[in-house]
Amino acid sequence: MAAIQSPTLIVALAGNPNSGKTTIFNALTGLRQKVANYPGVTVEKKVGRSQLATGEWVTIIDLPGTYSLISRSPDEHVAMQVLRGLRSDTPAPDVVVCVVDASNLQRNLYLVSQLIEVGRPMVVALNMTDIAERRGIHVSAARLSAQLGVPVVGLVGNKRKGIADLKAAIRQATVAPMPDWPLPDAMREEVTTVGGGLAILEQGSGFTVQRSAASRNLNPEPRTLNPLGHYHAIAERLLIGDRAGDIAPLTDREPVKSLLAHATQRLAQLGIEPMQADIEAHYKWIDDVTSASLTPACEVLLGSTGFQPVFPSSSENTRSSSPDGKNGLETHATMLDYAPALTLTDRIDRILLHKVLGLTIFAMVMATLFVSIFWLADPIMGATESVISQAGRFIAGFLPDGPIKDLWTDGIVAGVGGVLVFVPQIALLFLFLAILEDSGYLARAAFLMDRVLSKVGLHGKSFIPLLSSFACAIPGIMAARTIECRRDRLATIFVAPFMSCSARLPVYALLITTFFSTFSPVSRGGILLSLYALGIIAAVATALMFKLGAKRQAPTSFILELPTYKRPQISQIARVVWTNTWAFVSKAGTIIFCLSVILWALMYYPRLPEAKTDPIRAEYGQYKLPPIDSMGGQELRDDMERRQKIAFAVDPSRHRQWGYQYLPSAPNTTSWEQWDGFVNWMEQRTLASAQLRHSFAGRLGHFIEPAIKPLGYDWKMGVGLIGAFAAREVFVSTMGIVYSVGSDDEDTTPLAQAMLADRYANGKPVWTPLVATSLLVFFVLAMQCMSTLAIVRRETGTWTWPMLQLVYMTGSAYLLSLLVYQVGKIWFV
């Protein structure tokens, strides 16, 4: 008979933002984790597996950071639902590990106080103890455990200290006893009254916290929660206005409904606001717990100084120390230093948060970031392009001639490969942003930018969504949910796509490196920075219009937590860079792949009929040389010169386009092959151009050409712009396909060279630095992402805002690009 498999223990990691919760999650699970979204919402769901010291595997859920279980944002709402067992798609946790920042103990303990009321087995992970001690804050895990009644483990998560002890403590999780909150007497009476009504209403069934089969094996067995205390906790939640799904139905049932109405009325008459009174009571309790848990400076402690879990006991074993370790105890005395008057973080903030120096340093940091993206990525991009090109030709060698081979070389390799070349630059962008965030600097940047944002009608909380939009507008728009004011939230959502996201970076890189290649890396970085600045200016101007057009409202407060400065954790940085870069690569492997195939088909079909290909082949046939063996030396040279003159006479632009470099100084086999190879190459380019004009995509490009011609664009760029409206980075792959369709197998001309060589019929170059500048301006301002429009629709609940966004941004892009090109023609042409 097969053994019955025991259920898996479900462990939820909860904690405040910036408490190091995700770092501990990564340390517990390693690479054994999966990231998705909670069904029905766009909140990230992280689930992993961890093996305890006993060999048992447990499931770890990394909940979104939250300060309270009274949820005000979607992230907090999801965390609250999981902790209370209200989500059908996520099992209720058997154990809650609450991560607490030891350097901000009082603020973090507020969430702990609410988790105690939930009534689930709990462990407190006392993280960042090293930072706390450097600040002179010495928290005794033993004393804190005695106060809370649950295991407490000291940790330094970013150094993986205490992780093994935390795993051991999970199996020792217990339910904390319900504290006697120091509520006002009148509110305490009403809590007792409403709680009694709940007890009467639910007599026989109760509000028992549901526990899985796995949690019943916890050792020691969690303490039984006092039923009346649980009723009082629910009554307290009802009085402060908590209407979570587990208790909301009770408000419509008697006698709870009547008792609740009477209690609310009485407290209002007494001038007691239940929510405020509840918060004050919790913090009074927190003050007592904190005072009892902190170790006074210069006190000598007995026992181990390592990171060992401390389990609750009836009393702490404290004994006087003796220098020789008598009484059978080996003692280790640790002398604690006095708290420093000014921490390193405080000293750094005096400079970085200065109203003048701070903004100057911030501007220098951003400028260095953009210059480095070009300087560091150039050699890596060259190697990547070479690998992709060689791999494409290698696989093409095994494919038979025909549509399949053309699809591979001119569709997939030219399309997807053309975008993958820019992965090094995108990875560097994510690397720099991750370093700034993990070091604690980004929060300071948000504080600095609040002074600027408030003057243009945006909230200080808009900075993080706008900064996130530099990577991708979609998470930036979703991050705007934390803004309480609807006007500020809509303004942030509306201007977020103006931030130059990573999808624009391949387009910027292609145009800047191609048409400004003679510039130094610093100058090219400056051009890139100016494009980002243009997007910011457009966002500021739009936000000002929102401010002037909206009704005057009272300003909302901006409260921001400034984390302690710390050395970025290499493993955490690597994980962030890998996750975000892989998301971009997977997008190239799905969306861009599909669009590349579709665009290739639109450019490949219908095929050019023989009635149009034969004249082209006949024209170039007259330029090809007969076999070299049939002519003498001088005769061969004369014939080559005659055929070149014929070619240049038919189209004078070919003199510059083909050049005399293929006219040999002395006839020989090599020169003959050079000339005929060049003629063959030009024949294929002409056929490809004719095929593209004849295709569905060419016809569509010609249809919109009159509208984009004033911007300096031709019909081929129009095809690229159409593809870019699905996703901006598709423009690069589209151009790769446009300039590769119909080319022979030996054509390895890079996209940049093909664009530079492209000419109109009169010999005038299609691409110029002015055209590139106009196109760069268009890409900065235009709304060219269907996914972003869909997210805006989802976040605003209507199609009005995304359609207005599409018209406004694209219209602004057209007008400014038109101005740039037309004025540029007068000045520079």
Side-chain angles (χ1 to χ4, degrees), residues 21 93 111 143 159 300 366 368 370 379 517 587 658:
K21 175 176 54 63
L111 179 61
R143 294 180 181 181
K159 297 180 181 178
V300 179
M366 293 295 105
T368 302
F370 294 123
S517 58
K587 184 178 181 182
W658 292 15

Side-chain angles (χ1 to χ4, degrees), residues 525-537:
I527 295 174
L528 180 64
L529 181 60
S530 67
L531 297 176
Y532 280 78
L534 177 60
I536 294 172
I537 293 171

Side-chain angles (χ1 to χ4, degrees), residues 114-417:
Q114 292 184 316
L115 290 173
I116 289 175
E117 295 179 326
V118 173
R120 297 191 185 280
M122 183 167 59
V123 175
V124 172
L126 192 64
N127 195 27
M128 303 185 190
T129 54
D130 56 336
I131 295 175
E133 290 175 2
R134 285 200 298 269
R135 292 184 176 185
I137 303 171
H138 303 276
V139 183
S140 168
R143 294 180 181 181
L144 183 59
S145 177
Q147 291 293 317
L148 300 178
V150 298
V152 176
V153 183
L155 294 170
V156 180
N158 61 348
K159 297 180 181 178
R160 302 181 63 89
K161 291 183 178 179
I163 296 299
D165 298 327
L166 179 59
K167 291 182 178 182
I170 288 175
R171 267 295 169 191
Q172 303 295 328
T174 53
V175 176
M178 188 69 65
D180 183 16
W181 310 115
L183 294 166
D185 292 339
M187 186 169 175
R188 187 190 298 270
E189 292 172 3
E190 297 303 332
V191 167
T192 303
T193 302
V194 176
L198 290 169
I200 295 172
L201 176 65
E202 300 296 334
Q203 189 173 12
S205 59
F207 289 101
T208 306
V209 176
Q210 297 298 318
R211 296 174 54 212
S212 72
S215 68
R216 297 189 188 104
N217 297 325
L218 288 173
N219 185 31
E221 185 69 18
R223 302 171 184 178
T224 303
L225 190 64
N226 182 351
L228 289 179
H230 195 178
Y231 293 136
H232 291 169
I234 295 174
E236 184 182 338
R237 290 174 57 195
L238 291 172
L239 281 174
I240 66 175
D242 187 354
R243 295 297 181 265
D246 57 333
I247 61 173
L250 297 174
T251 59
D252 296 326
R253 298 174 63 180
E254 295 292 351
V256 177
K257 182 178 181 180
S258 300
L259 291 173
L260 196 59
H262 178 271
T264 303
Q265 182 180 7
R266 183 193 173 200
L267 293 176
Q269 292 173 348
L270 295 174
I272 299 175
E273 205 287 308
M275 174 66 80
Q276 183 65 27
D278 179 74
I279 293 174
E280 291 177 358
H282 278 245
Y283 271 103
K284 287 179 182 177
W285 173 83
I286 290 170
D287 287 342
D288 293 339
V289 170
T290 303
S291 299
S293 303
L294 291 178
T295 302
C298 293
E299 178 179 308
V300 179
L301 297 181
L302 293 179
S304 172
T305 59
F307 295 93
Q308 295 187 2
V310 180
F311 306 109
S313 59
S314 57
S315 62
E316 285 194 275
N317 295 322
T318 57
R319 305 184 186 181
S320 59
S321 91
S322 57
D324 54 357
K326 293 181 180 178
N327 301 324
L329 290 176
E330 182 181 353
T331 63
H332 299 277
T334 304
M335 181 66 69
L336 303 181
D337 299 327
Y338 284 103
L342 196 64
T343 66
L344 177 62
T345 293
D346 294 331
R347 291 195 293 270
I348 296 175
D349 279 343
R350 285 187 171 183
I351 300 174
L352 296 185
L353 296 183
H354 191 272
K355 60 182 179 181
V356 177
L357 286 177
L359 289 173
T360 303
I361 294 173
F362 174 72
M364 292 174 61
V365 168
M366 293 295 105
T368 302
L369 186 152
F370 294 123
V371 170
S372 300
I373 286 177
F374 272 99
W375 178 54
L376 295 176
D378 270 349
I380 308 175
M381 290 176 61
T384 304
E385 183 179 17
S386 176
V387 170
I388 293 174
S389 177
Q390 292 178 14
R393 292 198 302 272
F394 176 77
I395 296 176
F398 296 95
L399 300 176
D401 292 336
I404 298 299
K405 188 172 186 177
D406 289 339
L407 171 61
W408 170 253
T409 57
D410 302 332
I412 298 174
V413 174
V416 179

Side-chain angles (χ1 to χ4, degrees), residues 698-822:
R699 296 172 190 180
L700 184 58
H702 281 290
F703 177 77
I704 68 170
E705 187 176 28
I708 61 176
K709 191 69 175 178
L711 309 183
Y713 312 156
D714 74 338
W715 63 273
K716 292 189 286 294
M717 299 180 206
V719 175
L721 290 177
I722 293 172
F725 271 95
R728 293 180 179 92
E729 63 270 36
V730 173
F731 178 83
V732 177
S733 60
T734 305
M735 287 294 97
I737 296 171
V738 165
Y739 284 101
S740 297
V741 166
S743 60
D744 63 351
D745 296 339
E746 300 302 320
D747 181 16
T748 60
T749 305
L751 175 58
Q753 293 184 20
M755 293 166 65
L756 288 170
D758 196 12
R759 295 288 191 276
Y760 289 108
N762 60 3
K764 183 180 177 181
V766 173
W767 291 88
T768 65
L770 180 59
V771 172
T773 302
S774 173
L775 193 58
L776 285 170
V777 171
F778 188 88
F779 268 90
V780 169
L781 301 178
M783 168 56 79
Q784 296 172 288
C785 183
M786 298 296 104
S787 299
T788 299
L789 291 174
I791 288 296
V792 174
R793 160 65 179 84
R794 181 172 183 173
E795 294 296 312
T796 60
T798 175
W799 277 108
T800 302
W801 287 105
M803 290 300 101
L804 181 61
Q805 208 171 28
L806 176 64
V807 173
Y808 172 76
M809 293 183 64
T810 306
S812 301
Y814 186 93
L815 292 176
L816 191 55
S817 297
L818 176 66
L819 181 64
V820 167
Y821 183 72
Q822 295 300 328

